[in-house]
Amino acid sequence: ASNHCVEKLFLNENKIGADGAKAFARSLGKNRALKMLWLSRCSIGDEGAIALAEALGSKVGLGVVEALDLWENGITAKGGAAIAQALHTNQFLRTLEIRNNQLGDTGAAALAAAMPVNRALSTLDLLGNGISDAGRAALTQGLRKSAANPYLVLFEDGFTHQQRTSWEMKGMANAP
């Protein structure tokens, strides 16, 4: 059976863990309808993030999700790199909220590397991920090279007003 009805699924604060995230990613292999998935505070860690990333990188299942919320899940650079890799092929995800994890500079650099090839992502929330000036520099470069259409908004603690846009980083005065 495949999902043709459920468009939004809120599972926040359910301790599904990595095993639950893996099972969830597998079960959504035939998804055709789910557009928004909230998994904040579900303790999925890197293992769960990697499973979700594999599904995000596919042409079906989570590959058609447009918004994914992974706040406070204990995701480190390893899980962040897997998600970033999925963004190289996924052209549906428009919003990725991965706030308050532990991506650090390595995770930030991996996500920055996806920006020049991903045209769909328009909101990336990285607040509270322990990103230093070096990670912010990588993110700024990613924004300058962003392929996002029309633009990408990045939220990160060290930026003025906690945000930057690819439009702004390319020297354009106003977003469309």
Side-chain angles (χ1 to χ4, degrees), residues 84 88 107-118 138-139 142:
H88 284 267
L111 288 163
M115 291 177 190
V117 295
N118 185 290
L139 290 167

Side-chain angles (χ1 to χ4, degrees), residues 33-167:
L34 189 66
K35 300 296 181 201
M36 298 178 183
L37 177 60
W38 284 268
L39 294 173
S40 291
R41 299 176 199 96
C42 287
S43 304
I44 68 168
D46 285 334
E47 284 184 63
I50 291 167
L52 291 170
E54 289 170 1
L56 278 172
S58 73
K59 300 283 187 226
V60 296
L62 287 180
V64 298
V65 167
E66 295 174 3
L68 179 61
D69 181 345
L70 297 174
W71 282 29
E72 297 179 24
N73 270 297
I75 300 169
T76 69
K78 182 178 179 181
I83 292 168
Q85 188 60 40
L87 292 175
H88 284 267
T89 57
N90 180 296
Q91 294 299 314
F92 290 96
L93 191 67
R94 294 189 318 213
T95 300
L96 176 59
E97 300 202 15
I98 194 163
R99 182 183 291 208
N100 294 333
N101 284 283
Q102 297 91 39
L103 299 181
D105 292 341
T106 303
L111 288 163
M115 291 177 190
V117 295
N118 185 290
R119 298 188 58 79
L121 194 66
S122 62
T123 303
L124 177 59
D125 185 342
L126 297 176
L127 291 169
N129 271 287
I131 298 170
S132 74
D133 288 344
R136 277 187 285 287
L139 290 167
T140 298
Q141 283 302 106
L143 282 172
R144 284 190 181 113
K145 298 176 183 176
S146 173
N149 186 17
Y151 60 94
L152 172 63
V153 178
L154 172 67
F155 296 93
E156 204 288 314
D157 297 305
F159 292 142
T160 307
H161 306 295
Q162 296 184 320
Q163 71 178 25
R164 287 278 185 274
T165 68
S166 57
W167 195 258

